[in-house]
């Protein structure tokens, strides 16, 4: 089984592509996900500030893994993943057999523009063969780490990431402007079911992971975060990027 969490679709694509290459199945991680004691377990997720997202962290605390199981992780990220494997191993209380970091289009619009179309294409062109190589490693049950850790990886994962979870995952800075048509896309696409419509406008209810799905998928660019503007480039995965 391959368990995955996603906001704007990168990790969902990676999980499903990997499942095809390894003859496996996928299951989305949410608060109701019940982990199974499979012989092969994959965990696919986006990097949030050089660590695993809060919902994935909660899931990994609950998961029960057979001693003889082959366990691997795929971390999708804008550029690098820090020491996220150390974090995962601490949560699951055992070593990983393999880990891959996969640089895919940036979706963190809170910090600025997402990637442009040429950058998106370049990232997928590089990611696809890298995922192929990792799938071969998994199929052969080999040990390995194909990762880009970036500068100061230990500091990033052990210091910056906890600070992000503590101070930067609030949904209080989300707002909506008059271009909102009340379509409900933000409600339907929120992986944590954190958004409801009130008088035809989205309301955030305090259970946010900063996945950026609502702001990036809004068809009218009506949702903003803090001082962000509608002119910022949005991003979410489209099938055309991998064709």
């Amino acid at each position: 089984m391959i368990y995955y969490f996603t906001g704007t679709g990168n990790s969902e694509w990676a999980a499903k592509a990997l499942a095809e290459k390894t003859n496996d199945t996928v299951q989305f991680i949410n608060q109701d996900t019940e982990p199974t004691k499979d012989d092969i377990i994959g965990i696919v997720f986006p990097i949030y500030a050089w660590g695993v997202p809060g919902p994935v962290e909660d899931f990994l605390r609950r998961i029960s893994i057979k001693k003889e199981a082959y366990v691997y992780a795929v971390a999708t990220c804008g550029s690098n993943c820090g020491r996220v494997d150390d974090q995962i191993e601490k949560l699951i209380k055992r070593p990983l057999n393999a880990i891959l970091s996969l640089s895919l289009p940036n979706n963190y619009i809170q910090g600025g523009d997402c990637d442009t179309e040429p950058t998106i294409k370049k990232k997928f062109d590089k990611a696809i063969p890298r995922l192929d190589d990792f799938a071969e490693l998994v199929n052969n049950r080999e040990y390995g780490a194909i990762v880009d850790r970036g500068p100061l990886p230990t500091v990033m994962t052990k210091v910056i990431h906890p600070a992000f979870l503590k101070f930067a995952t609030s949904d209080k800075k989300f707002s909506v402007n008059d271009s909102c048509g009340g379509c409900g896309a933000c409600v339907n696409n929120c992986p944590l079911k954190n958004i409801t419509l009130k008088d035809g406008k989205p309301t955030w209810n305090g259970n946010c992971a900063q996945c950026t799905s609502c702001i990036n998928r809004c068809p009218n660019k009506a949702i903003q975060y803090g001082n962000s503007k509608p002119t910022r480039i949005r991003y979410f995965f489209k099938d055309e990027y991998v064709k």
Side-chain angles (χ1 to χ4, degrees):
M1 178 67 73
I2 299 174
Y3 299 97
Y4 75 93
F5 181 80
T6 196
T8 56
N10 284 341
S11 293
E12 180 179 10
W13 166 76
K16 291 181 177 179
L18 193 57
E20 288 186 6
K21 301 173 191 298
T22 60
N23 194 30
D24 209 339
T25 56
V26 301
Q27 184 173 347
F28 180 72
I29 293 172
N30 60 31
Q31 64 269 24
D32 299 319
T33 304
E34 291 295 335
T36 57
K37 294 185 178 181
D38 292 339
D39 293 326
I40 305 168
I41 295 175
I43 305 157
V44 183
F45 58 92
I47 287 288
Y48 289 1
W50 299 277
V52 299
V56 178
E57 185 173 328
D58 294 340
F59 173 75
L60 294 177
R61 287 195 180 97
R62 294 188 284 113
I63 196 168
S64 178
I65 301 173
K66 295 192 295 187
K67 183 178 180 181
E68 65 274 18
Y70 181 87
V71 186
Y72 66 89
V74 176
T76 64
C77 52
S79 56
N80 50 66
C81 68
R83 299 290 314 189
V84 71
D85 43 339
D86 291 349
Q87 183 189 10
I88 295 171
E89 290 175 348
K90 184 177 180 180
L91 289 165
I92 65 175
K93 300 177 181 179
R94 58 153 287 167
L96 287 167
N97 296 99
I99 183 169
L100 168 71
S101 70
L102 204 59
S103 179
L104 291 175
N106 170 45
N107 69 358
Y108 197 62
I109 195 171
Q110 292 92 322
D113 282 330
C114 296
D115 288 335
T116 61
E117 290 289 322
T119 299
I120 290 170
K121 185 179 186 307
K122 287 179 182 179
K123 284 190 171 182
F124 276 108
D125 285 347
K126 290 182 179 180
I128 291 171
R130 189 173 171 105
L131 192 63
D132 288 340
D133 290 343
F134 188 74
E136 184 176 355
L137 185 150
V138 171
N139 284 326
N140 293 330
R141 307 296 182 266
E142 296 176 352
Y143 293 80
I146 306 174
V147 292
D148 296 317
R149 299 195 184 278
L152 301 174
T154 300
V155 173
M156 294 301 183
T157 298
K158 294 188 176 181
V159 179
I160 302 301
H161 178 69
F164 169 82
L165 292 180
K166 185 174 181 179
F167 300 111
T169 56
S170 170
D171 55 17
K172 293 181 180 180
K173 291 185 179 181
F174 282 106
S175 62
V176 60
N177 63 31
D178 292 338
S179 65
C180 173
C183 68
C186 52
V187 176
N188 296 330
N189 289 316
C190 178
L192 299 182
K193 307 302 179 185
N194 181 49
I195 304 172
T196 53
L197 290 184
K198 184 176 181 180
D199 298 326
K201 304 294 183 182
T203 298
W204 289 260
N205 297 303
N207 182 33
C208 183
Q210 292 287 311
C211 78
T212 78
S213 176
C214 61
I215 188 170
N216 277 303
R217 294 180 188 269
C218 177
N220 293 335
K221 297 185 177 181
I223 297 173
Q224 311 304 325
Y225 186 86
N227 295 321
S228 69
K229 304 295 182 183
T231 51
R232 280 190 183 176
I233 298 172
R234 266 71 168 159
Y235 168 80
F236 62 91
F237 174 80
K238 300 175 184 176
D239 289 337
E240 63 196 60
Y241 294 146
V242 293
K243 290 181 180 179

